[in-house]
Amino acid sequence: MERTLIDRWRRLPQLAAFVAVLLVLLGVVAVGRAEQDYRAHEQSEARIEAQIVATNVAAALDFGDHSAAQEAVDALHVNAQVRRVAVYDAAGKLFAGYRRSGPTAEGADMVVERVPVMRTGTRLGAVVVVSDLEHLSRRLLHYGVIALLVILATLVVAILGIAQAALRTANRELVEANEALRSQIAQRERAESQLRQAQKMESLGQLTGGIAHDFNNMLAIVIGNLDMASRRLRKDPDKALRGIDHALEGATRAAALTKRLLAFSRRQPLEPQPLDANALVAGMSELLRRTLGEQVRIETVLAGGLWRTSADPGQLENAILNLCVNARDAMADGGRLTIETLNAALDDDYAHDHEEVNAGQYVVIAVTDTGDGMPAEVRERAFDPFFTTKDVGKGTGLGLSQVMVSSASRAGTSKSIRKSVPARPSRSTCRVISAPRPPSPAPPPPPRTGPGRERAKPFWSSRTRSRCVACR
Amino acid sequence: MNPARLLPWTAAKRLAVALATLAIVAAPVHAQSEQLAREVKAAFLVKFGAYVGWPAAALADSAPLTICTVGADPMGALVDAAAQGQSVGGHAVQVRHLTAITRDSGCQIAFLGEGIGAEAVAGAPVLTVTDGANPGRRGMIDFTLDGGRVRFSIDQAAAMAAGLTISSKLLQLATSVRQEGH
């Protein structure tokens, strides 16, 4: 559309030049015509004057009355433009007349008119009137108005043409720039898509490697213990039984890993139910103590009068476990891990200042360690799936992303989790999982629309929302 | 007293010779200018027709314009010469020499010679022309001499009474114009 419009006006500069030339020509023609008209007008005026004189002097000429003829001629004195009037008799002899002072020669700036003096068909003589034209400069002054108009019109047309030409040039440059930009964008998109693909493949590689290693370890336990049990079944049934127990434990751990993978891919059904977060954390303390080892001191600070909340207990446990394992890994030389529960009522002002959070009542479970924290580049990707800072086989890169998936209720939440990670490495890292307090009469869930919502389905319940909020 | 005594003979004789010479030389000069004036008057007589309008009854279309000289005509053949081949407003000009004029003479212009009265054509559409007549006997146009030039006075009232119209152009050239009521 734009192109066709430009194409349509493409010949405008040439057209403008043509019109400008045409205007100038028109101006010249107009001045020429005006000059011609003026001369014709002066000529006819001189003729009329000569005819009047001829009529008036006819009788005087007829009867040879010089003074009467002179009187008739002198009447023209009032016209300052009349330079010379002469009345000749039939023989061509000067009968009467006058001549103003000035050049006697009849030049280009004069009109000469000669009419016969007649008396009913008889030629009595002739009258000659020589009339001055207005001075050329004064005539040019009159034509100056025309010239000015022509110049103005020409200027307008010329400016129009120049502007159009400039516009065309600018537009051409713009089109070229736009095309360059488009091709750059396309190139960048291709590169980004390639990068994404590479990252995906890298992630898949990490995942496959990690899972394979973990499974290998577990299978080694299962196979080793079952092998040992089969060999000792006769001689030492007790030991064989212990081996079978160990094998079972390994298989269970493998099943747990599978369960986590399934949870990550959200194939596992959600089973939200009312629960007491204090009881959940207290129930986990023995498990955590064994999992985290001797070097990590675990402290639990459980709030009195904690609200009940609604969540899938397995997944909530999983999330807490993930955070705690990460915390332990951050404290290689040991340290203190604090699990804290508290009630939090976030008001509208707070929600307004932190747009990733909705106002409401929340149950907060905060996990704090005394580790080194995360550097910025790690912090940026901390919640990306399959991203890990651990050695191959030691981590799956799914821990924090699982926390995010299970706690996120909207796209902004992931931001809040990122914010929850200190910007600079520090001694203490705090992570908080929050679950909203279930209202007694459950209100209808807010409508969830827009991109990113699909990814960020609530984990514990579609009707309750979970939160990770900032803390340091 | 003897005049011969008062004037020496030679002086008287010389004076007489001089006077005689003057008379001999001056007489032709006077006669020459008079002749010229008569020619001019004859020419004027023909030209008047162009500046005077006659009623249609007096001068029909294509009818000749008749100029009559009445009485002892001082112009004689001069008018014939002036009118030779002339035409006025589509009318051929013809000249007639009359001894007396009546209303039925068929004249449009009548030059009345010495002693001829205009009474005979009073009120008739005839342009009467006289030459230096007494005021009581003047025609509608009367020639005068003004500084050696032939001029004329016009009695417009008489012309109007006769049903003639005289062109203003001609009136402008007149030395005097007598109008109605004056």
Side-chain angles (χ1 to χ4, degrees):
Chain A
M1 186 69 194
E2 214 172 322
R3 288 300 290 267
T4 57
L5 200 70
I6 287 159
D7 286 346
R8 200 175 301 159
W9 292 103
R10 206 176 48 190
R11 296 204 167 274
L12 195 66
Q14 289 95 317
L15 196 70
F18 176 71
V19 168
V21 169
L22 204 69
L23 277 171
V24 169
L25 281 178
L26 271 177
V28 169
V29 168
V31 168
R33 272 304 291 272
E35 177 74 13
Q36 219 173 354
D37 284 356
Y38 174 73
R39 276 182 178 277
H41 177 256
E42 289 297 311
Q43 191 83 43
S44 83
E45 207 163 74
R47 186 179 308 122
I48 288 165
E49 278 164 349
Q51 271 162 355
I52 289 169
V53 170
T55 310
N56 285 345
V57 300
L61 197 58
D62 208 0
F63 290 97
D65 194 330
H66 290 267
S67 61
Q70 191 63 44
E71 256 176 56
V73 165
D74 286 346
L76 278 189
H77 249 300
V78 293
N79 189 343
Q81 266 179 263
V82 175
R83 171 160 298 283
R84 189 165 79 85
V85 184
V87 180
Y88 298 96
D89 61 14
K93 230 177 82 187
L94 186 67
F95 187 74
Y98 74 84
R99 180 195 293 276
R100 263 183 225 281
S101 60
T104 49
E106 282 156 17
D109 55 347
M110 296 182 188
V111 288
V112 180
E113 195 59 48
R114 186 185 189 95
V115 298
V117 180
M118 303 295 286
R119 186 206 64 206
T120 57
T122 311
R123 189 177 173 281
L124 300 176
V127 172
V128 172
V129 171
V130 178
S131 195
D132 279 342
L133 293 176
E134 260 188 322
H135 200 261
L136 187 69
S137 59
R138 289 205 52 179
R139 297 210 302 278
L140 286 179
L141 205 66
H142 295 165
Y143 305 144
V145 177
I146 298 173
L148 207 67
L149 282 176
V150 166
I151 287 168
L152 270 179
T154 309
L155 263 179
V156 166
V157 166
I159 286 169
L160 202 69
I162 290 167
Q164 177 64 19
L167 201 67
R168 266 179 52 202
T169 310
N171 193 67
R172 201 164 47 238
E173 282 167 4
L174 206 64
V175 165
E176 282 167 5
N178 191 44
E179 275 168 8
L181 209 61
R182 274 174 199 278
S183 87
Q184 277 177 12
I185 288 170
Q187 274 178 5
R188 179 162 298 188
E189 273 176 357
R190 268 201 305 279
E192 278 178 358
S193 142
Q194 282 168 358
L195 187 67
R196 267 199 303 278
Q197 185 64 22
Q199 282 175 343
K200 207 151 72 182
M201 295 313 289
E202 186 193 342
S203 295
L204 275 173
Q206 284 176 351
L207 172 71
T208 316
I211 291 170
H213 193 267
D214 280 8
F215 255 96
N216 236 9
N217 285 349
M218 291 161 192
L219 286 175
I221 293 168
V222 172
I223 291 164
N225 278 301
L226 285 178
D227 183 45
M228 187 267 288
S230 71
R231 278 190 277 109
R232 303 262 172 108
L233 193 60
R234 295 275 171 86
K235 295 173 185 171
D236 194 348
D238 287 349
K239 212 169 184 177
L241 208 58
R242 222 167 32 247
I244 288 169
D245 280 348
H246 285 150
L248 204 60
E249 195 181 331
T252 309
R253 280 173 64 191
L257 180 63
T258 313
K259 200 177 177 186
R260 280 166 64 190
L261 283 168
L262 282 175
F264 179 72
S265 62
R266 282 206 267 17
R267 301 225 169 174
Q268 196 179 51
L270 301 176
E271 292 163 2
Q273 60 189 64
L275 59 83
D276 179 0
N278 279 349
L280 186 106
V281 171
M284 285 180 75
S285 58
E286 186 59 31
L287 170 73
L288 290 174
R289 220 176 298 284
R290 266 194 313 198
T291 309
L292 303 184
E294 296 292 319
Q295 282 184 309
V296 177
R297 195 150 47 82
I298 298 171
E299 288 180 5
T300 55
V301 182
L302 304 177
L306 189 72
W307 298 325
R308 293 180 69 79
T309 186
S310 180
D312 184 316
Q315 297 306 329
L316 190 53
E317 270 180 22
N318 229 349
I320 294 168
L321 195 63
N322 269 316
L323 290 176
C324 291
V325 168
N326 276 4
R328 179 203 62 191
D329 293 345
M331 302 184 288
D333 302 328
R336 192 176 70 245
L337 181 97
T338 309
I339 303 173
E340 192 182 0
T341 63
L342 60 135
N343 290 331
L346 305 183
D347 60 11
D348 287 338
D349 286 346
Y350 184 91
H352 187 260
D353 291 343
H354 302 77
E355 62 173 28
E356 67 275 9
V357 182
N358 286 345
Q361 293 181 321
Y362 292 89
V363 170
V364 179
I365 302 161
V367 179
T368 313
D369 63 54
T370 54
D372 294 333
M374 282 185 263
E377 61 271 20
V378 173
R379 187 167 49 87
E380 272 300 307
R381 299 187 62 191
F383 291 89
D384 288 355
F386 309 122
F387 174 80
T388 182
T389 55
K390 298 169 187 174
D391 294 336
V392 174
K394 285 195 174 174
T396 59
L398 291 172
L400 284 182
S401 59
Q402 257 187 315
V403 171
M404 186 187 74
V405 167
S406 55
S407 62
S409 69
R410 55 182 177 136
T413 310
S414 63
K415 239 198 262 177
S416 79
I417 290 171
R418 283 204 181 119
K419 278 177 73 179
S420 77
V421 181
R424 284 183 299 260
S426 67
R427 283 192 178 281
S428 170
T429 305
C430 166
R431 300 193 188 90
V432 175
I433 303 167
S434 68
R437 181 193 188 196
S440 309
R448 296 203 175 101
T449 53
R453 300 276 190 260
E454 278 305 308
R455 199 178 114 249
K457 270 184 185 165
F459 174 71
W460 289 303
S461 163
S462 62
R463 288 160 82 186
T464 60
R465 282 161 291 170
S466 55
R467 283 287 177 280
C468 278
V469 291
C471 172
R472 221 181 267 190
Chain B
M1 196 179 285
N2 190 352
R5 288 244 178 136
L6 292 176
L7 280 170
W9 187 83
T10 50
K13 203 165 113 182
R14 275 181 195 163
L15 185 67
V17 168
L19 281 172
T21 310
L22 188 71
I24 291 162
V25 174
V29 168
H30 186 242
Q32 207 174 5
S33 72
E34 259 195 3
Q35 176 67 16
L36 191 68
R38 278 206 302 277
E39 279 176 22
V40 170
K41 284 170 190 168
F44 279 17
L45 208 52
V46 176
K47 287 176 181 175
F48 284 145
Y51 300 95
V52 176
W54 279 269
L59 181 62
D61 287 345
S62 76
L65 181 86
T66 309
I67 299 172
C68 305
T69 61
V70 186
D73 181 13
M75 297 200 191
L78 287 176
V79 180
D80 296 81
Q84 186 67 46
Q86 293 285 323
S87 71
V88 171
H91 303 279
V93 177
Q94 64 176 26
V95 180
R96 291 167 64 189
H97 299 279
L98 305 176
T99 50
I101 186 167
T102 63
R103 297 176 78 95
D104 303 322
S105 298
C107 302
Q108 274 79 40
I109 298 172
F111 180 74
L112 305 176
E114 236 171 295
I116 305 297
E119 298 83 13
V121 289
V126 177
L127 182 75
T128 54
V129 182
T130 54
D131 185 9
N134 294 324
R137 298 177 57 84
R138 280 178 189 167
M140 295 167 190
I141 293 176
D142 185 57
F143 289 121
T144 58
L145 275 175
D146 178 12
R149 278 185 58 213
V150 177
R151 302 197 67 179
F152 49 84
S153 63
I154 296 175
D155 186 349
Q156 197 188 8
M160 282 177 76
L164 305 180
T165 56
I166 297 178
S167 161
S168 61
K169 291 175 184 173
L170 192 64
L171 293 174
Q172 278 175 353
L173 300 179
T175 52
S176 68
V177 176
R178 182 177 165 268
Q179 285 177 325
E180 201 147 18
H182 288 262

